[in-house]
Amino acid sequence: ATTTIAPPQPNPSFSASNSAKRAPWQERLTLGPGDVLNFTLFETNEDKPTEAVIGPDGRVSYLQAENIMATGLTIDELRAKFNEELGKYYRNPLTIITPVTYRSKRYIVLGSVTAGGVFFMDRPMTVIEAVARAGGLESGLHEQGTVELADLTRSFLARRQQRVPVDFERLFQRGDLAQNVVLEPDDFL
């Protein structure tokens, strides 16, 4: 008799990219200042991609469609606005918009990490992944041994000015992956 071994299944707690359920901000991914987009106008002389950055005021321009408000819109909603505006200059325009880089969604990591700061959410991110991206927890030498300098009992995750229930001590010292929550834009760690 032959035995079939099933491939290992990913642990959904370990990585945000394996999560079956999306966070509300992922269900309707909107654009914002700093996002970089490629524009192309299908089947015209303007069919070479043009890169454009959404400005600090939330607006973006392409060809004759200038200062179109992009902040808060999805790619499809922005495409419709460009098609409408470019329709004044082209017959049945079909604007193709491809995201290059999302820079409007970010999170902040401060405290006893190697390299804290502001990080862009280029994909779904968990607490462990965010700390790893910040270089990991700081460590130092104590009595010829390496010790973590982070005070995990006082560490916290803040979202919309409220604390999210995460036990950092259980997560980092005991490996309790139930504490490895998925971050949202503007989270503070």
Side-chain angles (χ1 to χ4, degrees):
T2 59
T3 305
T4 305
I5 299 173
Q9 298 300 312
N11 183 340
S13 301
F14 191 67
S15 175
S17 55
N18 293 332
S19 180
K21 184 175 180 343
R22 292 181 176 198
W25 71 272
Q26 293 173 295
E27 294 291 332
R28 187 174 184 280
L29 184 59
T30 58
L31 299 167
D35 289 342
V36 181
L37 307 170
N38 261 341
F39 286 85
T40 307
L41 196 55
F42 188 67
E43 292 188 347
T44 67
N45 294 335
E46 314 293 344
D47 62 356
K48 290 189 171 108
T50 301
E51 194 169 278
V53 179
I54 299 175
D57 63 352
R59 298 179 181 279
V60 66
S61 299
Y62 173 64
L63 299 175
Q64 294 90 345
E66 296 182 356
N67 295 317
I68 303 295
M69 180 55 74
T71 295
L73 300 179
T74 65
I75 293 284
D76 290 337
E77 292 166 344
L78 183 61
R79 181 181 303 114
K81 278 194 164 201
F82 271 92
N83 287 342
E84 180 182 332
E85 187 63 27
L86 292 173
K88 298 173 186 174
Y89 306 95
Y90 299 87
R91 177 187 277 167
N92 299 321
L94 179 57
T95 310
I96 300 168
I97 304 174
T98 309
V100 176
T101 307
Y102 289 105
R103 293 190 178 147
S104 63
K105 309 295 186 256
R106 57 193 99 197
Y107 61 94
I108 300 168
V109 181
L110 295 177
S112 294
V113 290
T114 303
V118 177
F119 298 88
F120 298 117
M121 295 185 86
D122 52 356
R123 61 184 180 76
M125 183 79 46
T126 63
V127 171
I128 287 176
E129 291 168 317
V131 170
R133 193 176 269 186
L137 298 173
E138 278 188 337
S139 59
L141 292 175
H142 179 67
E143 296 179 2
Q144 298 184 349
T146 304
V147 294
E148 287 179 353
L149 299 177
D151 183 357
L152 297 175
T153 59
R154 293 178 42 188
S155 298
F156 64 93
L157 171 63
R159 177 175 298 150
R160 292 182 291 280
Q161 300 168 343
Q162 302 223 348
R163 284 188 181 216
V164 176
V166 176
D167 187 330
F168 286 84
E169 191 174 24
R170 282 179 40 199
L171 176 60
F172 287 103
Q173 291 180 344
R174 298 183 200 150
D176 181 0
L177 294 178
Q179 303 299 312
N180 193 26
V181 301
V182 177
L183 297 184
E184 291 187 11
D186 300 320
D187 277 0
F188 177 84
L189 199 56

